[in-house]
Amino acid sequence: MTRRVAIVGVGATVFRSVSPELSYKELMYEAAIRAYADAGIDPRVDVDSFVTSAEDLHEGTSIFDEYTPDQLGGVLRPNHTITADGLNSIAAAYMQILTGEFDVVVVEAHSKASNSLTPEQVAAYALDPVYTRPLRAHPHFIAGMEMNRFLSESGYTREQCAQVCVKNRRNALANPLAAYGASTELREVLESPPAFAPLSHADIARYADGAVVVVLADEERARQLNSIPIWVRGVGWCSDTPALETRDWGQAVYARLSSQMAYKMAEIQNPREEIDLAELDDSFSYKELQAMEALGLCEPGQAGAMTVAGETKPDGSLPVNISGGSLGTGLAHEATGLLKLFEIVLQLRGHAGPRQLKNARVGVAQSWKGIPHTSGAVVVLGRE
Amino acid sequence: MGLRDVAVVGAGLTKFMRRSLETGRELAFEASKMALDSCGLTMDDVDCVVIGTAPDAFDGVHMKGEWLADGAGGWRKPVMRGYVGGGTGVFSPIQAWYHIASGLFDVCLVVCEEKMSTCQPHPQGAFLTIFDHTTERALKPNLLWIFAMEMQRYMTTYGISERDIARVAVKNKRNGLDHPATQVGADITVDDVMNSAVMSWPVKRLDVSPTSDGAVAMVLASDRVARRITDKPVWIQGVGWSLDTQYWANRDLAYPTYLEKAARMAYSMAGVKEPRKEINIVEPYDPFDYKELHHLEGLQLAPKGGAPQLIIDGVTERTGNMPSCPSGGLLGVGNPIAAAGLMKVSEIFWQLRGEAGKRQVPGTPARGLAQAWGDLMQVGTVIILGNEPSSR
Amino acid sequence: MSQVVDRRQSVSSSEPHDLPTLPGTPLRDSDIREGRVLTERWDPDLRYAWDTGIAISRYLQGLKEGKLLGSFCSTCERLVVPPRIVCEQCFRPMREYLPVKDTGTVNTFSISHVAWNAQPIQTPDIPAVIDLDGASPGIGILHKLGEVDPNAVQTGLRVEAVWEPARKRKGAITDIRYFRPLS
């Protein structure tokens, strides 16, 4: 009899472009105490394992996991770091609980992007040192190339991508955690300065600082702790090639394979019908359309039209990025996926206030590792 | 233990070298291929991949896990990189254990790689960035400082001499001569250690393991699959890990409490009640000779301050009652950080199968333990392997 | 999950030491110097400005004023340095900042002949963990010793901070130049 795993607590700080009065430790602590209060637990007694998501170069410290346990209540407990988006840590926590050896696991991720003074150097440091870095081009060229190929293969247009920006930033106005809520016009997005053509500046999500903590528990604990456990129905993650030379430029294969793994676990055969809301990668506007296709949330070639017709708006047939997405909340390094998960948890609990959807029963969160990579994760959550 | 029992079914490794021609990816590939070949599997048989590698700063690639994935068979598969600094080499099979014990996967390839020589002029310089950026980095610490200080505190607390500690280096370097991967196996004496250059007193050159390039890979499988792959699966009976406070100067440096926690977690899972009697063979992490002693005590295999006596009495020789670092360890083979820890796990694997060749300990060891350590001297990772699945 | 064919027949028991030499091609520095092996070089320019936040800002402010501050946990009755907003043992918030003395006892030390980048240095550094007077037992900080013969240093040595003059202090751990034996 397989165990079931639920999310029993979530906590997040507000996300802002700068957070000068708090160190990253203090951001982590704030998110943690909110999550623990939400779950009704004491981390020194109730938590069996801690999983954090971080990359050294985002922090400016090597072996960053050294600095995580104290402010999470994890000292002298099992702690480890996953160098990937928070959704991967959710998968790791899920697996730990399923082994039967852990009942309550905490997941954390944060962004202090404002503290990194040379982000393009950090991004360049991820490029292959022999094949790509010597070209000395700003790494975002990779997103520009991917967008170009994607539009050419799919037939989507820059206007449809721009519609994603308009929708998500407007959605963010209703999200008190979001950094970049705004009422923008399509024209403004299209006329924003070109960045890495066909990308314009407005197509690119800006960074924000903040932290998210999630508490997971097995079914028995979950039912003791929280009146509305949100079930982890499925998880999936996948790494495609890091090589620029041999990758599939048009499709998000990693997202498709991740979602297939998660849907299989969640016993979802028809995602378009069975998923009520989706929080998808929109670190670049076109990625949302690419993810919609990869996750089977629309017929091939339909994502652009659906967006323009308003189907992915909050009052549409498949709300996408009701949180505001990264375009609206701010891109948050490894916390990006957890922010998406946070929204879905609130929606499924019926606690999303002015953003609350009717009949939200099943949601999917999806994240991408970011430039220059083709890896990512998917988590499916359900009320049942 | 866990939903399903998990076994190690194959392993492989590259040479450990001061500087290799091969790139990190190529090292990962060579080790992965050897591990798969050793148990007759191909990448089609592998469901998921766990990659272990220490700071990105060494290989000089940010998001190193993704970059290595191709070489580690991670193409279009679920790949995860877990990270606990120097503890990673033993943590990676633990991570693979929870992948399989969860019921989600049957076969996991674990690959640990490090190419420290990329960091020039010396990989040691990269360690500056592990110190707190505000309260410590400005003092320009050398990594050796903190280990030298921990060694000094250990010596002072228990009245242990440098000569007694040096015996560990002698033992391990001699053992290392028999390891095919060895970079630094040698026949040395305690006097050689005592006469070697003082780098950061009391740490001398021969007290320390080298920086290295190298990779190790291992295949883990669920019970029903493991028995089809090999006649001699080696079962994971217990795992444990624990991370202490980041404020390392607020801690008792004479004793690794975090390791005791990790060890007790693993012993409890494995049903081990008297470790000294029930662990037949041990690979404690030995980047410095004093650490083997420190760790034997944290592992509850020697009383506090009592580990040196085990060395003196010959208990820890290959022919002794509890062989310790029969592989030669980091001091005798080399220290490509994450790969070094996995090398120790592979040693227990081969020893339990009777396949350690010249390093084989006599008798039939039935249960062994491998351990790694890292971060600001604050993480302990422990894995217990045995010829039977856990008794629990 | 995967279908694994029973492969036991096709695999021979492998003894690593009987295998031909393990893969890997060790290089000498001369291979690179003399151009037999090609290399690609990258000099990273990675810069950060870390927000010090509530607790460490107080600590740095204290250093600028010539004081060492700690934070106090009333539940555990612990006074710890450097200060932090949460007690890592009981997880209760720490809101009280109290000064500790700038004298202490050497918990442990080393005598280092190499710089942070592994280059040899002429005058040895003497890093130490100094347990501070007024802080809870065993609460120490990393710093360096000065004005002392390395051979005279031992665990238990009583020391005092030597501060930079006030006008030179910036609010950094280096506002303390080093610790020297108590006069």
Side-chain angles (χ1 to χ4, degrees):
Chain A
M1 171 69 197
T2 326
R3 289 186 125 191
R4 291 216 301 157
V5 179
I7 290 173
V8 298
V10 288
T13 65
V14 167
F15 278 70
R16 296 178 285 152
S17 57
V18 292
S19 53
E21 77 286 3
L22 296 176
S23 67
Y24 70 86
K25 298 180 199 185
E26 292 159 359
L27 280 178
M28 288 171 70
Y29 175 64
E30 187 186 322
I33 53 176
R34 287 171 189 273
Y36 299 153
D38 187 37
I41 59 167
D42 172 356
R44 300 307 283 148
V45 174
D46 299 313
V47 178
D48 302 309
S49 171
F50 297 79
V51 184
T52 54
S53 276
E55 283 277 10
D56 286 353
L57 266 77
H58 290 160
E59 310 290 336
T61 294
S62 288
I63 317 187
F64 181 75
D65 68 285
E66 298 165 353
Y67 293 100
T68 53
D70 302 59
Q71 54 271 19
L72 297 177
V75 166
L76 284 177
R77 310 308 310 284
N79 282 257
H80 75 85
T81 292
I82 305 257
T83 54
D85 177 82
L87 294 185
N88 290 263
S89 290
I90 296 283
Y94 176 72
M95 289 191 287
Q96 287 184 20
I97 294 174
L98 286 183
T99 65
E101 300 289 335
F102 307 90
D103 293 336
V104 181
V105 182
V106 163
V107 169
E108 178 274 343
H110 63 272
S111 161
K112 258 295 202 182
S114 69
N115 286 186
S116 174
L117 301 177
T118 53
E120 64 298 326
Q121 280 273 323
V122 172
Y125 210 56
L127 302 177
D128 186 282
V130 174
Y131 299 127
T132 318
R133 238 184 274 177
L135 299 175
R136 294 229 169 355
H138 190 298
H140 280 189
F141 82 81
I142 295 169
M145 283 172 56
E146 187 181 64
M147 182 180 187
N148 229 338
R149 180 72 197 191
F150 172 63
L151 294 185
S152 135
E153 275 187 20
S154 61
Y156 297 140
T157 62
R158 276 195 67 225
E159 286 75 13
Q160 290 166 335
C161 297
Q163 195 62 50
V164 170
C165 300
V166 171
K167 167 178 71 77
N168 290 356
R169 295 199 65 193
R170 194 162 289 156
N171 285 351
L173 287 169
N175 186 349
L177 298 185
Y180 301 115
S183 243
T184 52
E185 303 280 337
L186 194 65
R187 183 183 49 79
E188 288 166 349
V189 177
L190 288 168
E191 289 173 10
S192 79
F196 303 88
L199 287 167
S200 70
H201 268 277
D203 286 307
I204 303 174
R206 281 175 286 166
Y207 281 104
D209 292 351
V212 184
V213 171
V214 180
V215 184
L216 296 91
D218 76 291
E219 177 165 12
E220 200 182 315
R221 271 330 290 280
R223 295 206 186 281
Q224 290 163 6
L225 284 174
N226 189 306
S227 58
I228 316 176
I230 300 302
W231 302 98
V232 178
R233 297 259 315 261
V235 297
W237 65 101
C238 178
S239 288
D240 198 346
T241 182
L244 299 184
E245 296 77 9
T246 52
R247 68 174 52 176
D248 188 326
W249 282 93
Q251 313 260 321
V253 174
Y254 58 91
R256 177 164 50 83
L257 295 178
S258 300
S259 68
Q260 282 172 6
M261 183 177 155
Y263 290 154
K264 184 162 179 221
M265 253 182 246
E267 295 177 342
I268 287 178
Q269 264 109 29
N270 190 340
R272 178 75 182 85
E273 303 282 310
E274 301 177 59
I275 305 259
D276 300 315
L277 73 153
E279 288 282 325
L280 307 177
D281 169 40
D282 65 328
S283 43
F284 297 89
S285 58
Y286 74 91
K287 295 295 275 181
E288 178 169 313
L289 303 180
Q290 193 185 50
M292 282 172 66
E293 289 212 0
L295 266 64
L297 295 171
C298 64
E299 296 301 312
Q302 288 308 303
M306 272 177 75
T307 304
V308 167
E311 306 268 21
T312 56
K313 283 166 68 170
D315 56 1
S317 61
L318 178 64
V320 176
N321 285 330
I322 245 198
S323 62
S326 298
L327 286 162
T329 63
L331 194 57
H333 284 321
E334 288 74 30
T336 299
L338 291 189
L339 256 180
K340 296 177 185 297
L341 188 107
F342 185 86
E343 178 68 24
I344 296 177
V345 170
L346 292 188
Q347 290 282 349
L348 298 188
R349 283 180 180 176
H351 293 170
R355 300 184 314 288
Q356 185 62 53
L357 297 169
K358 289 201 276 278
N359 287 327
R361 308 189 83 81
V362 180
V364 63
Q366 177 256 341
S367 63
W368 169 51
K369 177 77 175 168
I371 289 176
H373 288 303
T374 53
S375 55
V378 168
V379 175
V380 177
L381 301 180
R383 248 197 91 106
E384 281 100 38
Chain B
M1 180 195 72
L3 196 63
R4 304 195 290 174
D5 287 313
V6 182
V8 181
V9 297
L13 77 174
T14 67
K15 288 200 192 82
F16 286 6
M17 303 157 275
R18 191 177 63 84
R19 194 162 190 180
S20 71
L21 175 65
E22 289 76 12
T23 64
R25 256 197 204 120
E26 289 165 348
L27 291 171
F29 167 69
E30 294 289 357
S32 302
K33 179 117 184 27
M34 234 185 106
L36 290 170
D37 285 350
S38 79
C39 52
L41 297 186
T42 68
M43 278 315 301
D44 287 342
D45 301 312
V46 172
D47 299 319
C48 58
V49 177
V50 166
I51 293 180
T53 183
D56 292 4
F58 291 128
D59 287 48
V61 181
H62 168 45
M63 304 206 221
K64 203 201 309 186
E66 264 70 15
W67 181 73
L68 281 175
D70 276 15
W75 181 69
R76 294 196 175 169
K77 287 195 196 280
V79 180
M80 259 202 217
R81 173 185 169 203
Y83 191 27
V84 278
T88 302
V90 170
F91 186 74
S92 297
I94 294 177
Q95 192 169 25
W97 163 78
Y98 69 65
H99 275 61
I100 298 174
S102 69
L104 260 55
F105 304 102
D106 277 316
V107 179
C108 183
L109 175 67
V110 183
V111 186
C112 287
E113 173 278 352
E114 218 74 57
K115 191 170 163 67
M116 298 173 78
S117 67
T118 311
C119 183
Q120 293 287 323
H122 197 287
Q124 223 175 79
F127 283 109
L128 175 68
T129 52
I130 73 170
F131 292 95
D132 186 280
H133 47 61
T134 303
T135 58
E136 290 181 350
R137 231 178 271 188
L139 298 170
K140 294 281 201 275
N142 179 301
L143 178 72
L144 294 178
W145 287 10
I146 57 175
F147 304 134
M149 288 195 279
E150 189 181 64
M151 179 177 174
Q152 198 285 134
R153 183 74 190 182
Y154 176 62
M155 285 165 56
T156 304
T157 303
Y158 301 114
I160 294 166
S161 69
E162 285 177 69
R163 291 191 72 87
D164 281 342
I165 292 175
R167 290 167 190 269
V168 173
V170 170
K171 166 176 73 75
N172 291 2
K173 283 190 178 314
R174 192 175 358 96
N175 285 349
L177 284 169
D178 298 323
H179 200 296
T182 191
Q183 174 187 339
V184 286
D187 224 320
I188 59 167
T189 65
V190 167
D191 284 331
D192 290 331
V193 180
M194 295 305 292
N195 293 330
S196 63
V198 177
M199 299 175 72
S200 189
W201 186 87
V203 170
K204 304 166 287 299
R205 184 166 296 283
L206 287 176
D207 289 314
V208 197
S209 57
T211 57
S212 310
D213 298 352
V216 181
M218 189 169 269
V219 182
L220 272 61
S222 62
D223 48 9
R224 67 188 183 96
V225 173
R227 295 182 202 275
R228 296 211 304 270
I229 297 173
T230 174
D231 277 329
K232 295 190 279 182
V234 172
W235 301 95
I236 295 176
Q237 297 183 342
V239 300
W241 69 102
S242 182
L243 184 53
D244 205 337
T245 175
Q246 61 197 250
Y247 302 103
W248 64 272
N250 291 175
R251 286 200 287 106
D252 171 13
L253 297 177
Y255 180 71
T257 306
Y258 47 89
L259 181 52
E260 179 180 336
K261 292 270 183 183
R264 288 195 186 284
M265 183 176 158
Y267 290 144
S268 168
M269 259 191 229
V272 169
K273 304 233 175 4
E274 291 175 283
R276 181 67 185 83
K277 290 197 181 138
E278 300 180 61
I279 301 295
N280 305 135
I281 180 172
V282 62
E283 283 278 342
Y285 206 60
D286 63 317
F288 294 79
D289 41 14
Y290 83 92
K291 282 313 292 186
E292 177 165 336
L293 304 171
H294 211 228
H295 288 153
L296 285 171
E297 293 169 17
L299 288 169
Q300 312 301 297
L301 296 173
K304 290 187 185 177
Q309 198 59 43
L310 295 182
I311 316 287
I312 292 168
D313 291 344
V315 168
T316 53
E317 295 293 320
R318 284 196 191 126
T319 48
N321 173 260
M322 186 179 69
S324 179
C325 292
S327 62
L330 279 54
L331 288 164
V333 185
N335 189 4
I337 310 222
L342 195 58
M343 179 273 290
K344 285 171 154 311
V345 184
S346 73
E347 182 69 11
I348 303 290
F349 169 67
W350 282 315
Q351 291 278 356
L352 261 49
R353 280 161 55 120
E355 292 171 359
K358 287 207 286 180
R359 305 185 313 285
Q360 186 64 46
V361 307
T364 43
R367 182 188 274 130
L369 181 156
Q371 172 256 331
W373 162 83
D375 291 7
L376 290 171
M377 312 182 289
Q378 63 191 128
V379 75
T381 53
V382 175
I383 192 165
I384 299 174
L385 304 180
N387 285 331
E388 302 296 329
S390 177
S391 46
R392 255 184 20 159
Chain C
M1 308 302 151
S2 62
Q3 290 296 307
V4 179
V5 171
D6 189 325
R7 308 222 194 230
R8 281 173 294 172
Q9 309 306 353
S10 58
V11 178
S12 54
S13 144
S14 61
E15 299 200 357
H17 99 286
D18 282 343
L19 287 172
T21 330
L22 293 180
T25 315
L27 296 177
R28 289 166 305 225
D29 291 339
S30 56
D31 291 326
I32 290 151
R33 254 195 335 263
E34 290 160 24
R36 282 187 294 278
V37 170
L38 300 178
T39 57
E40 185 63 48
R41 185 192 162 111
W42 179 270
D43 291 294
D45 173 28
L46 300 164
R47 282 171 286 121
Y48 302 83
W50 298 284
D51 295 324
T52 47
I54 299 169
I56 296 295
S57 294
R58 290 290 298 268
Y59 187 54
L60 297 178
Q61 184 59 35
L63 289 170
K64 189 160 204 273
E65 293 165 12
K67 291 191 295 229
L68 276 163
L69 285 178
S71 56
F72 183 67
C73 174
S74 49
T75 311
C76 300
E77 295 189 341
R78 286 171 81 219
L79 179 49
V80 295
V81 182
R84 56 209 75 156
I85 59 165
V86 57
C87 174
E88 72 277 5
Q89 293 197 358
C90 69
F91 206 62
R92 307 249 29 93
M94 290 175 124
R95 293 194 194 96
E96 249 187 287
Y97 294 84
L98 296 173
V100 299
K101 298 214 164 62
D102 63 353
T103 54
T105 310
V106 170
N107 173 300
T108 183
F109 69 99
S110 176
I111 302 166
S112 176
H113 303 276
V114 286
W116 69 272
N117 57 5
Q119 303 309 301
I121 52 177
Q122 285 290 78
T123 317
D125 279 327
I126 313 177
V129 172
I130 296 135
D131 289 348
L132 296 168
D133 293 335
S136 291
I139 297 299
I141 61 167
L142 171 71
H143 217 292
K144 303 210 276 192
L145 302 183
E147 290 183 51
V148 66
D149 172 8
N151 295 319
V153 182
Q154 53 187 336
T155 294
L157 181 67
R158 298 278 303 145
V159 293
E160 64 186 1
V162 174
W163 294 86
E164 292 285 354
R167 71 185 190 289
K168 273 186 162 185
R169 294 202 286 255
K170 302 182 292 193
I173 191 65
T174 45
D175 288 348
I176 295 175
R177 271 203 217 137
Y178 47 78
F179 284 74
R180 70 175 168 211
L182 275 184
S183 26

